[in-house]
Amino acid sequence: MSRSARAATALLAAGLYLLALPALAQEAAPEEPEAPPESVAIPLPEVATRSEEVATVLRQIAQDMRPSSPVESIARALPLLSDAIDDHVEYTSSAVTGDVSLEALEDLEGEWLHRLEALNGWADELTERATGLQAELARLDELRTVWLETREAAKASEAPEATRDRIDSTLEKIGEAREQAEDRRDQILTLQDQGSEQRTRASEALELIRATRDVAVGKLFAAAAPPVWSPAFRQGLRQDLGEGVSGAIASQAGDVVDWADEHGERFQLHLLIALSLVAALAAARRRLRTAQEAGPGLEEAEPVFQRPVETAILLSLLVAPWVHPEAPRMVLQLFYAALLIPAVLLLRRLVAPTLHPALYALVGFFLVDRMRQVLEGLAELERVIFLLELLAAIAILLWLGRPSRMAGIPAHLARSPVLRRAGLGARLGFGALVVALLAGLLGYVRLSRLLGQAVFGSAYAAVILYAAVRITSVLLHFVLRVGPLRRLHMVRRHRPLLERRGDRGLRFVGYAAWAWATLDLLGLAEPGLATARSLLGGEIAIGAVSLSLGDVLAFVLTVWAAFLVSRFLRFVLEEDVFPRTPMRRGMPYALSTLLHYAVLLFGFLLAVAATGVNLDRLAFLAGAFGVGIGFGLQNVVNNFVSGLILLFERPIQRGDTVQVGTLWGEVKRIGIRASVVRTFDGAEVIVPNGNLISEQVTNWTLSDRDRRIVVDVGVAYGTDPERVLEILRGACEAHSEIMSTPAPLCIFRGFGESSLDFQVRAWITDFDRGLTVQSELGVAIHHALAEAGIEIPFPQRDLHLRSADAEVQGLLGRDE
């Protein structure tokens, strides 16, 4: 074992010992004997003051015991809910014994889940209030004990009668407050007991519905009715027609009227939402022209804003399940019918005319569907209507799929991904409808209903969600062009990017909602969710640490979300906050980087907590292994700390031109471990942060971006130096980028071998323009000297011949 390894092992053992020492000391500490109880009697001189304090406490307790609005609301609503549960228990019992569809069972389950959720919320509220009252009773008992002992002490010490009367009066007030608290607690406990009874009934109803659904799913591929050509089917149909449709409609209508009478305020709230949306869309329509003048991209906005009533109805009805959570099935079906109509009216202005018949057909099918569900108790009549509906849907799909009609779709729409996906969905739906029709004819009514209702419901959801996504996208584009958002720098610079990202997010939400709705209609949503939970919840134990796939997924998603949040915050800061806030150069980048590290650290800790790992154990392991690991990561830690020093001290900032040894370039990024320097040749060099702190670094742009340029000039001997200096100063003054302060310096350097040597030293404000300005100044000086007739000599040499051949001397003489 090497010396460094032995040292690391020793330090690791020492760290573990130090961490375990407090626990060992705590275990070894002897138990202290219990002290005898002390008297809690109040000293007689303090009785008057403490009595006033008790009066204040009793007033506070009385205020806390006042009937609260939540408890009073529960007391008023619980009897009504109990009566509703009585009715629905009877209805549920009769429904599950008949031939009920899976969709009806899901609706019943949703109604009971909502009631159970309300009861659970009430139970939590009552438990909190009862716990608080129990704490108040314990507090009153403590006060009563103190004042009883005080009375005994007063009797023993023969205290004045006024003092004993005050003590008795205080005890009487404490007793009255305790009786009130007990009465209030008993009332709440009674409500708890009544609510618990109703929760039990709701849970039993849910278990009955789920058991019935499981049986129905198990018999999905079993014939539950005779074929349509059998005598039994014809006899059942005659019985349904004999009973009549009016009874079923009257029953459903009665439920709707009763519910509307009880929840009239909800309709007023819904109407207020719709009217507010109409007013907002009408006001936005007046600003549409301004938004269109700001740039293209709002061509689809005109149909939306020109029909504010339809748009407002669509948007307001989308929140109907949340505004009317207790609505019966028939009411929700009416809401969905009202929701589909404005969606179709808007979409007919946004899609090609060739697709309009499909939209009209969906409205017709939806209305027939609602009528069929009203008649669900009349099994054979409902079956006939459903089979006719399936047959009509198949015929319409065949008619719409003809090549002659598909040729009428514009080319750009035919190539759109949405239409291609819609075509794929139509082909799959066609196959499912054919199977549903055959199954219904043969008597497999459960399978027929499941497939047929899933196809129709998926189509309705697709139309509604597509219209909602298109409208929301138009509104997003609109608000980015109108109002305060368009004044933001990030919107002005990156509006197309924001619109693309927003549209992508809306499409993702729309596809996810449609997929969930389709799976739910097929009865696969809850089983799939349960399967996913079981897969994600399976744990793998490694020693004392247990992890599951869900923990790993939660960790990854949390860290990924932290990166997204960090990117968004840095984007907002760099685009809109830092440009509007005066800061020293380099400070915005330092703050942005530190925020990035802080968000990532918080996200990492949150991700670790999401996995269920004990943070105390993590701290223990980090403290134990940190010492040993530190030896192997010295350079990494050094570079990390150096990076923090660079961010806080800012000797080097992003965008600076630096020189480290032979490396010369611009700092592009200061990272957690290393910085990136881009050379002027285009190469990006990774430089450890430790080198930037420990080595000598030349920062050419630390305090400013001024740069001095130097141009050497040589002229022929015989030229007037004063004239040359005047020409050089004039060339400098003529260049717009040369600073006047400090003034350019033109000097005579001396006598060269072939020329009189001069030098021009000038300053410019843009470091990056140094070479360009130096070149331009050199060219300007050359032109100025040429115009003045001043020669720029080339190197000259005098050759002296000591000896030469006679022939060469003759030739030289001849040349002369």
Side-chain angles (χ1 to χ4, degrees), residues 129-347:
R129 293 291 301 169
T131 303
L133 287 172
Q134 192 64 38
E136 299 292 353
L137 285 171
R139 187 179 180 186
L140 290 171
D141 289 340
E142 292 178 359
L143 289 174
R144 185 171 181 274
T145 302
V146 170
W147 283 92
L148 284 174
E149 293 193 13
T150 303
R151 184 171 64 180
E152 296 299 327
K155 289 180 181 180
S157 61
E158 297 181 354
E161 184 178 357
T163 302
R164 293 197 302 270
D165 291 343
R166 180 179 288 273
I167 294 173
D168 293 338
S169 174
T170 302
L171 282 171
E172 183 179 356
K173 292 178 181 178
I174 293 174
E176 293 175 355
R178 196 179 189 286
E179 291 179 359
Q180 294 176 2
E182 285 181 343
D183 293 341
R184 186 64 176 166
R185 183 198 59 183
D186 294 342
Q187 178 188 3
I188 292 178
L189 291 178
T190 303
L191 289 175
Q192 277 186 314
D193 183 68
Q194 296 174 356
S196 176
E197 180 183 356
Q198 300 305 323
R199 287 205 311 275
T200 302
R201 299 178 67 190
S203 300
E204 291 175 352
L206 279 172
E207 292 178 0
L208 178 61
I209 292 171
R210 288 165 180 168
T212 305
R213 184 182 60 189
D214 294 339
V215 171
V217 171
K219 296 180 179 180
L220 191 62
F221 296 97
V228 294
W229 53 80
S230 65
F233 171 77
R234 291 194 295 271
Q235 181 180 359
L237 181 59
R238 284 194 297 269
Q239 291 178 355
D240 291 343
L241 292 174
E243 294 176 3
V245 182
S246 58
I249 296 178
S251 176
Q252 297 277 357
D255 293 340
V256 173
V257 172
D258 293 340
W259 181 84
D261 291 338
E262 296 177 3
H263 299 83
E265 70 281 357
R266 296 291 183 90
F267 284 101
Q268 296 176 5
L269 175 62
H270 209 160
L271 180 61
L272 180 62
I273 294 174
L275 293 177
S276 301
L277 288 173
V278 170
L281 291 170
R285 181 174 57 182
R286 292 192 293 268
R287 306 186 64 180
L288 179 62
R289 186 180 303 276
T290 304
Q292 289 176 331
E293 293 175 354
L298 286 178
E299 293 80 7
E300 297 179 354
E302 187 173 355
V304 173
F305 289 104
Q306 293 300 327
R307 307 294 292 268
V309 177
E310 290 88 340
T311 305
I313 292 175
L314 175 62
L315 294 177
S316 62
L317 289 177
L318 283 174
V319 299
W322 291 275
V323 178
H324 308 281
E326 302 175 2
R329 184 182 180 191
M330 186 62 183
V331 174
L332 291 178
Q333 299 300 336
L334 292 175
F335 278 131
Y336 296 149
L339 180 63
L340 186 64
I341 294 174
V344 170
L345 292 177
L346 287 172
L347 283 180

Side-chain angles (χ1 to χ4, degrees), residues 497-558:
L497 174 63
L498 295 175
E499 290 177 349
R500 288 196 303 270
R501 295 285 177 84
D503 291 344
R504 188 183 305 169
L506 290 173
R507 287 195 298 269
F508 175 79
V509 172
Y511 284 129
W514 174 82
W516 177 261
T518 303
L519 291 175
D520 188 48
L521 289 167
L522 290 171
L524 300 176
E526 292 297 333
L529 192 59
T531 303
R533 286 173 179 168
S534 62
L535 291 176
L536 296 177
E539 294 186 350
I540 301 175
I542 304 175
V545 179
S546 61
L547 290 176
S548 65
L549 181 60
D551 295 336
V552 175
L553 184 61
F555 180 85
V556 173
L557 291 178
T558 305

Side-chain angles (χ1 to χ4, degrees), residues 408-689:
I409 301 177
H412 68 283
L413 289 179
R415 293 191 299 267
S416 66
V418 174
L419 195 60
R420 290 201 301 268
R421 296 187 185 102
L424 177 61
R427 288 190 289 271
L428 294 175
F430 178 82
L433 289 174
V434 171
V435 174
L437 178 62
L438 294 177
L441 292 173
L442 295 174
Y444 296 88
V445 291
R446 294 190 181 94
L447 179 62
S448 176
R449 286 174 179 170
L450 178 65
L451 293 178
Q453 291 175 353
V455 172
F456 288 126
S458 180
Y460 305 147
V463 170
I464 293 171
L465 289 172
Y466 180 70
V469 168
R470 292 287 293 271
I471 292 173
T472 309
S473 175
V474 167
L475 294 177
L476 174 64
H477 293 195
F478 178 79
V479 298
L480 290 179
R481 286 173 167 82
V482 178
L485 290 182
R486 67 173 180 174
R487 299 186 180 92
L488 297 177
H489 291 168
M490 63 179 180
V491 173
R492 289 203 299 265
R493 298 175 184 173
H494 307 283
R495 185 174 60 198
L497 174 63
L498 295 175
E499 290 177 349
R500 288 196 303 270
R501 295 285 177 84
D503 291 344
R504 188 183 305 169
L506 290 173
R507 287 195 298 269
F508 175 79
V509 172
Y511 284 129
W514 174 82
W516 177 261
T518 303
L519 291 175
D520 188 48
L521 289 167
L522 290 171
L524 300 176
E526 292 297 333
L529 192 59
T531 303
R533 286 173 179 168
S534 62
L535 291 176
L536 296 177
E539 294 186 350
I540 301 175
I542 304 175
V545 179
S546 61
L547 290 176
S548 65
L549 181 60
D551 295 336
V552 175
L553 184 61
F555 180 85
V556 173
L557 291 178
T558 305
V559 173
W560 176 66
F563 271 100
L564 292 182
V565 171
S566 174
R567 288 181 58 185
F568 177 74
L569 291 177
R570 296 175 71 186
F571 175 71
V572 173
L573 289 175
E574 293 172 1
E575 292 292 336
D576 276 288
V577 177
F578 292 151
R580 303 173 189 269
T581 306
M583 292 185 181
R584 294 178 56 187
R585 192 174 69 88
M587 181 63 74
Y589 179 77
L591 293 177
S592 178
T593 305
L594 290 176
L595 176 66
H596 175 65
Y597 293 156
V599 171
L600 292 187
L601 177 61
F602 178 76
F604 175 77
L605 295 177
L606 195 63
V608 172
T611 60
V613 176
N614 192 344
L615 294 180
D616 295 337
R617 184 176 300 172
L618 184 66
F620 175 81
L621 294 176
F625 290 103
V627 179
I629 294 175
F631 280 93
L633 299 177
Q634 289 184 22
N635 291 333
V636 175
V637 175
N638 177 36
N639 290 325
F640 174 75
V641 175
S642 299
L644 295 179
I645 293 174
L646 291 175
L647 289 175
F648 282 107
E649 189 178 338
R650 299 193 304 279
I652 297 174
Q653 303 167 21
R654 189 179 63 166
D656 283 350
T657 300
V658 298
Q659 184 176 355
V660 185
T662 59
L663 176 64
W664 190 329
E666 180 183 354
V667 179
K668 287 296 184 181
R669 186 176 68 87
I670 301 176
I672 190 173
R673 185 194 64 85
S675 299
V676 178
V677 178
R678 182 180 179 87
T679 66
F680 298 116
D681 294 331
E684 292 187 343
V685 182
I686 311 300
V687 182
N689 291 331

Side-chain angles (χ1 to χ4, degrees), residues 356-430:
H356 289 177
L359 298 177
Y360 301 147
L362 279 177
V363 175
F365 283 128
F366 190 87
L367 297 177
V368 174
D369 248 354
R370 304 291 74 79
M371 181 184 69
R372 179 179 58 81
Q373 290 180 358
V374 171
L375 304 175
E376 195 169 24
L378 308 175
E380 304 303 341
L381 179 59
E382 183 267 339
R383 181 181 173 190
V384 170
I385 296 174
F386 186 57
L387 292 175
L388 293 175
E389 190 177 1
L390 293 175
L391 185 62
I394 293 172
I396 290 175
L397 284 177
L398 289 173
W399 178 70
L400 290 174
R402 292 181 305 163
S404 58
R405 291 202 60 83
M406 299 303 294
I409 301 177
H412 68 283
L413 289 179
R415 293 191 299 267
S416 66
V418 174
L419 195 60
R420 290 201 301 268
R421 296 187 185 102
L424 177 61
R427 288 190 289 271
L428 294 175
F430 178 82

